[in-house]
């Protein structure tokens, strides 16, 4: 309905993106098999532990689609921003610095990922770097929009209570509150969160790229909803911008998926996980839906939160937590952590003995089927628990699976959650606030 | 004199750049010794052939100052471009996309350099990539200025002849000619030329970084000349932009020089040569003095042109052309190419026998002391010639030298040529055109 206005300027960037996405798919598909051996030659390879014979497979291949995506975005620039002699600029000129800062941010994360793959950077060295990488994007946000107010849900609109919040409480007005600098800090956190959460949700052939493909689809569905229903020109432009990036990411990722899916011929490496995660982060920030992005990342957030007891040493954490491969039946089984704390794999945070309170919590989780506990059949003593990752949890629910089936289930689960998130965002938003960018309730 | 206008806005970016340059120097100095071993560990090392015992030295260390410079430029962004509440924006807002596109270009060349260091890319694969990298810069040039006309020197202003030039001849008007698309092609060539020419002029400890320091000084002197004498606001802004980048490059390079100078503790790698070369290229393009840049690169251009007979196989080309180290006296001697074409090092382009015409040219060059020829004492037959690089030529002129003395002479020569180039540019420009940005003759 609202597409009538400036139809051409809506479709043109998407058309360009689709064409380039296809080219990206073709080039990535062609290059990966050619360069595989060069990666092994310079020491970038890993062993696939979930296969018979643990074959050696090139690692960090995700650099290829990342670089190709950057080159595609470069080609976008003259196509989208050069003055057209007859009509005016198609993609508004004010979007130029937005586009430049996005590519800048992506290239920075690409360099960071590459260094991480090469040198295995330490957490404390690399953790805050994505925030640096997104400085240009935040400055563009500041200069172009500078909107740092958020709406407070009606049931929380208690002026007396809100005024008590330090620093920002006094900005409360008409149901909105100005987060000021904290909003930029929040966006910086998104830039740290998106790349890392994708990188952590990994360990099965095809899962890294698969989740990126699923996330891209969710993002595109969300963008399409806005493009076809919103009347606001700025909202539309924000989502054209987002889909422009995502469509091209999708093409390059799909080519990588062909080689990374079960049985994997290549490993992705940190680079591509960081890179793709940053694409989503940038879309969220500059597309003004950074809060919605978090909804789309629910599986990754769950995986992270669920992992925390092991990451923080409350539950023993073996060096590898990926599912255990059984050579006899070719299936993956849940891998387990030994709860007496005497496992030789204990990380730096040596757990002597699991605390009684933690045991109680584990037993509670076991009751609601969120973990699998193993007891000594004779003494009834608690011996092990399944490792606390979403991958292992799905194996707890479904029993042993072949690697490709496991990946499929995880991706399906992710897609289902994503669709629910879209519904939740728009219907839920409408119900809470009385209206939504898409729907009006009252 | 003209600094009175907007004094603050001239000094502020330079002040920021100087401060950050100092920080960059300190950080680079601190990080390099810490990470040296990690580079060796992952296979990034080389042997220093001009030392006793050929010690193993970490390679590609130039990645560190490159990344630090990029981070510094990121920190520039909020400092220079965020709206100031009292005054207006200090560094004009229109310069924002210029700044972003420059960093983008630099990051792209950083990635290219890193890949080249890792995978030893083939010439045909990497040659045109810098042109891709500078697409954003060219688009910014197109959108912001779009000036593609150049002045024709008065003694060439023959309208009838100029009109005969295909495509652009008809644009001749009032002594100027519009190069149109060819001007962009020319700027793209600058982006290819600057990084590669620095990378080729290498082979002696400290020369890669040393030449970057000398070039930076030349650029800064040129910028200062404009800043203190020009009345044109746009010219001033262009040179503030250029000096902002160069000042920070200087700081990071100086730290690298400490470790790369004789006796080298680290090798620079392709990355930093490409990267720094691109800084100069970008300054030239966006600072509107891309033609002057070529004057500053005369030593590199000479080195390239002088190398061509060997690069194109007219004269036999051994695998290494760096000077020959004599362990007994610790001096470097000119390395030589065997002219009978039977040397085992002949490249792909197998030269059977040097052509008589080439021999004549070599003998002519020898007459004007531009090459050293060696004859068989008995038969008088021509045996070898000194390898055709500027480094060897300086050794031909001065005789054997210790490595640090050789590097010093090369850098002094380069500095002297640079100063002459500045004089030539401004006085010569004034003499030819009757006026210059700085001087008026008639």
């Amino acid at each position: 309905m609202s597409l009538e206005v400036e139809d051409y300027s809506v479709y043109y960037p998407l058309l360009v993106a689709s064409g380039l996405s296809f080219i990206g798919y073709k080039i990535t598909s062609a290059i990966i098999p050619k360069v595989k051996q060069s990666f092994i030659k310079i020491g970038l390879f890993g062993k696939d532990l979930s296969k018979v014979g643990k074959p050696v497979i090139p690692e960090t291949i995700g650099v290829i689609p990342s670089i190709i995506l950057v080159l595609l975005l470069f080609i976008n620039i003259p196509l989208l921003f050069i003055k057209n002699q007859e009509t005016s600029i198609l993609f508004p000129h004010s979007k130029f610095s937005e586009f430049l800062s996005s590519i800048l941010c992506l290239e920075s994360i690409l360099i960071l990922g590459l260094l991480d793959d090469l040198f295995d950077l330490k957490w404390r060295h690399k953790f805050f770097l994505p925030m640096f990488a997104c400085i240009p994007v935040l400055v563009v946000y500041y200069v172009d929009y500078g909107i740092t107010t958020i709406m407070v849900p009606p049931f929380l609109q208690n002026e007396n209570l809100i005024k008590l919040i330090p620093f920002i409480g006094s900005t409360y007005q008409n149901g909105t509150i100005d987060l000021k600098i904290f909003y930029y800090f929040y966006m910086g956190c998104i830039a740290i969160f998106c790349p890392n959460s994708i990188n952590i949700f990994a360990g099965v052939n095809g899962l890294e790229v698969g989740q990126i493909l699923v996330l891209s689809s969710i993002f595109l569905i969300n963008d399409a909803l806005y493009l076809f229903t919103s009347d606001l020109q700025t909202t539309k432009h924000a989502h054209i911008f987002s889909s422009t990036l995502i469509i091209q990411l999708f093409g390059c990722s799909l080519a990588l998926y062909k080689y990374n899916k079960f049985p994997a011929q290549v490993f992705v490496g940190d680079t591509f996980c960081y890179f793709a995660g940053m694409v989503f982060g940038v879309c969220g920030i500059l597309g003004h839906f950074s809060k919605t992005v978090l909804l789309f990342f629910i599986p990754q957030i769950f995986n992270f939160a669920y992992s925390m007891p092991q990451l923080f040493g409350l539950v023993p954490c073996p060096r590898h937590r990926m599912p255990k491969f059984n050579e006899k039946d070719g299936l993956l089984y849940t891998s387990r952590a030994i709860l007496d704390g005497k496992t030789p794999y204990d990380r730096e945070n040596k757990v002597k003995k699991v605390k009684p309170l933690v045991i109680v919590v584990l037993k509670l989780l076991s009751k609601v089927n969120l973990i699998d506990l193993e007891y000594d059949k004779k003494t009834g003593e608690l011996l092990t628990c399944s490792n606390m990752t979403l991958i292992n949890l799905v194996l707890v629910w479904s029993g042993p699976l072949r690697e490709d089936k496991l990946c499929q289930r995880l991706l399906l689960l992710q897609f289902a959650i994503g669709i629910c998130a879209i519904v939740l965002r728009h219907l839920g938003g409408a119900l809470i606030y009385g209206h939504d960018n898409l729907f009006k309730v009252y």
Side-chain angles (χ1 to χ4, degrees), chain A:
Chain A
M1 46 186 191
S2 55
L3 274 183
E4 292 151 28
V5 200
E6 283 193 51
D7 263 331
Y8 186 57
S9 81
V10 170
Y11 284 126
Y12 176 73
L14 298 183
L15 217 66
V16 168
S18 308
L20 289 175
S21 177
F22 180 72
I23 293 172
Y25 172 80
K26 283 288 179 192
I27 297 180
T28 311
S29 304
I31 288 184
I32 289 178
K34 281 189 188 154
V35 298
K36 262 167 33 179
Q37 287 309 312
S38 318
F39 278 73
I40 292 185
K41 223 165 81 185
I42 65 162
L44 292 172
F45 57 81
K47 282 185 177 178
D48 192 341
L49 301 177
S50 308
K51 301 283 178 305
V52 179
K54 296 178 183 167
V56 165
I57 285 177
E59 175 71 273
T60 322
I61 295 290
V63 172
I64 304 297
S66 311
I67 289 176
I68 289 171
L69 180 53
V70 167
L71 287 178
L72 292 182
L73 294 177
F74 273 32
I75 298 171
N76 274 266
I77 297 176
L79 294 178
L80 297 181
F81 295 104
I82 280 205
K83 287 178 219 156
N84 197 299
Q85 275 158 352
E86 283 133 69
T87 69
S88 68
I89 303 149
L90 294 168
F91 211 38
H93 182 50
S94 67
K95 297 275 164 188
F96 189 29
S97 40
E98 204 165 78
F99 206 81
L100 287 180
S101 68
S102 310
I103 312 181
L104 198 47
C105 182
L106 293 178
E107 285 206 346
S108 308
I109 202 83
L110 204 168
I111 294 172
L112 173 63
L114 199 51
L115 291 181
D116 193 22
D117 274 329
L118 287 174
F119 295 103
D120 264 327
L121 301 182
K122 285 181 189 134
W123 270 103
R124 64 197 149 101
H125 290 146
K126 71 185 175 190
F127 191 74
F128 285 103
L129 284 175
M131 231 183 215
F132 262 94
C134 79
I135 288 180
V137 168
L138 295 186
V139 172
V140 166
Y141 187 89
Y142 181 89
V143 173
D144 283 5
Y145 312 94
I147 303 164
T148 53
T149 50
I150 55 162
M151 291 172 75
V152 181
F155 57 87
L156 286 177
Q157 287 184 9
N158 182 326
E159 193 159 347
N160 294 328
L161 276 179
I162 290 175
K163 292 274 184 208
L164 294 178
I165 303 172
F167 302 116
I168 53 169
S170 58
T171 64
Y172 179 70
Q173 207 176 14
N174 300 329
T176 67
I177 190 165
D178 189 353
L179 297 183
K180 290 183 186 164
I181 186 83
F182 297 106
Y183 194 75
Y184 291 94
F185 182 73
Y186 161 74
M187 290 191 289
C189 290
I190 290 278
I192 292 180
F193 165 76
C194 292
N196 283 309
S197 65
I198 289 185
N199 200 29
I200 289 175
F201 186 38
V204 176
N205 283 180
L207 185 59
E208 282 106 325
V209 199
Q211 72 181 306
I212 290 164
L213 290 175
V214 171
L215 272 169
S216 302
S217 315
I218 303 287
F219 269 69
L220 285 176
I221 292 170
N222 185 51
D223 287 336
L225 273 176
Y226 279 98
L227 283 180
F228 286 102
T229 59
S230 173
D231 284 318
L232 226 75
Q233 208 57 30
T234 52
T235 309
K236 263 162 86 172
H237 275 307
H239 286 278
I240 291 172
F241 170 78
S242 158
S243 12
T244 304
L245 293 187
I246 303 278
I247 288 172
Q248 294 174 70
L249 172 68
F250 191 87
C252 297
S253 305
L254 197 61
L256 181 58
Y257 184 71
K258 280 202 306 189
Y259 299 99
N260 181 238
K261 73 177 183 206
F262 177 88
Q265 302 169 43
V266 303
F267 283 146
V268 172
D270 298 342
T271 316
F272 193 66
C273 297
Y274 286 152
F275 183 82
M278 201 53 134
V279 175
F280 296 123
V282 165
C283 287
I285 293 173
L286 290 181
H288 313 294
F289 55 99
S290 56
K291 284 148 285 170
T292 312
V293 165
L294 284 187
L295 285 179
F296 297 159
F297 272 78
I298 287 177
Q300 285 80 8
I301 295 176
F302 175 84
N303 185 54
F304 179 69
Y306 185 55
S307 291
M308 282 207 293
Q310 286 196 303
L311 296 181
F312 293 146
L314 296 171
V315 173
C317 184
R319 197 168 295 273
H320 292 292
R321 298 191 300 163
M322 56 207 295
K324 217 171 130 185
F325 178 62
N326 185 338
E327 290 212 0
K328 283 176 196 156
D329 56 11
L331 299 182
L332 292 179
Y333 290 75
T334 49
S335 63
R336 313 189 73 84
I338 299 168
L339 286 175
D340 62 3
K342 285 175 198 150
T343 151
Y345 298 115
D346 278 357
R347 287 205 179 174
E348 303 100 52
N349 32 23
K350 306 261 184 239
V351 182
K352 288 268 159 56
K353 190 89 187 161
V354 182
K355 291 198 177 103
L357 182 66
V358 175
I359 298 283
V360 172
V361 172
L362 288 180
K363 283 182 177 167
L364 274 176
L365 285 176
S366 160
K367 282 258 162 65
V368 290
N369 215 6
L370 278 175
I371 200 165
D372 185 49
L373 299 179
E374 186 193 7
Y375 295 91
D376 189 308
K377 274 166 198 160
K378 286 176 195 166
T379 62
E381 200 192 355
L382 186 53
L383 292 179
T384 68
C385 70
S386 58
N387 276 316
M388 300 172 89
T389 67
L390 185 50
I391 300 176
N392 278 306
L393 186 58
V394 165
L395 286 174
V396 167
W397 291 339
S398 63
L401 285 174
R402 212 176 68 179
E403 198 170 3
D404 52 341
K405 299 281 168 212
L406 173 60
C407 184
Q408 269 173 30
R409 291 218 184 176
L410 285 162
L411 295 180
L412 266 175
L413 178 71
Q414 190 201 354
F415 189 74
I417 292 174
I419 295 294
C420 293
I422 293 182
V423 174
L424 185 76
R425 163 71 184 83
H426 296 292
L427 282 187
L431 288 174
I432 292 174
Y433 293 105
H435 62 87
D436 170 76
N437 316 46
L438 298 182
F439 305 105
K440 280 199 174 68
V441 172
Y442 50 87

